[in-house]
Amino acid sequence: EKCLEYQLSLLESKVDILLRKKRYTAHLQESLPKVTETQPQPTKPSQHQFKEEFTIEPNFMGLAIGTRGKNINEARRIPGIIGLDLNEDYCRFQITGETREAVE
C-alpha cells in the first residue's frame, strides 16, 4: 500500500510539473510580441555588413527575448545594428550590423 501511495504521489508531482510547464509556455506565447511585425525592412547585403549568429537553449528563450520583447527591441536600437532576426523554432539569433563591434 505504501508503494502504491508513493507511486501515486510521484504521478501527481509529474502531472503538476507538466501542467505548470504548459501554462508557462502558453504565457510566453501570449506575451511575446510578433517579432515579424516589429522587424525592420530587410536591406540588401553589402560587403560592409557583419553578421553574428548564435543558438541558445530552448528554456532560455523567454529570458533572451525579454518581457514583451524588451531585450530584442533594445538590441535593435544599438548604434550600428542593421537587423536582428530570430528563428524561435531553432532558438537561433542572427544579428547584422555595420561594424563587428556592433554585432558582438
Side-chain angles (χ1 to χ4, degrees):
E1 187 173 309
K2 286 188 178 196
C3 183
L4 184 59
E5 288 176 13
Y6 176 73
Q7 287 178 345
L8 182 58
S9 173
L10 283 177
L11 182 60
E12 287 173 344
S13 296
K14 289 179 180 182
V15 168
D16 185 51
I17 290 169
L18 179 63
L19 290 174
R20 284 184 196 185
K21 183 178 178 183
K22 288 197 177 280
R23 281 193 298 263
Y24 181 70
T25 300
H27 169 73
L28 284 178
Q29 289 174 342
E30 289 174 8
S31 64
L32 292 177
K34 301 292 182 194
V35 176
T36 55
E37 293 175 5
T38 59
Q39 288 182 352
Q41 293 296 323
T43 57
K44 292 182 180 178
S46 158
Q47 295 175 4
H48 306 292
Q49 290 182 355
F50 296 85
K51 291 189 184 226
E52 184 73 28
E53 226 177 84
F54 59 94
T55 304
I56 64 170
E57 293 293 320
N59 38 329
F60 293 118
M61 283 296 289
L63 292 173
I65 293 170
T67 304
R68 296 189 176 130
K70 179 183 176 191
N71 296 337
I72 299 288
N73 292 329
E74 285 182 13
R76 287 185 174 133
R77 288 193 289 270
I78 294 173
I81 295 296
I82 297 169
L84 189 148
D85 297 313
L86 167 61
N87 183 323
E88 289 185 64
D89 293 335
Y90 297 101
C91 304
R92 181 180 305 269
F93 290 82
Q94 182 180 21
I95 302 171
T96 306
E98 297 169 350
T99 64
R100 173 137 329 269
E101 293 78 23
V103 298
E104 290 178 344

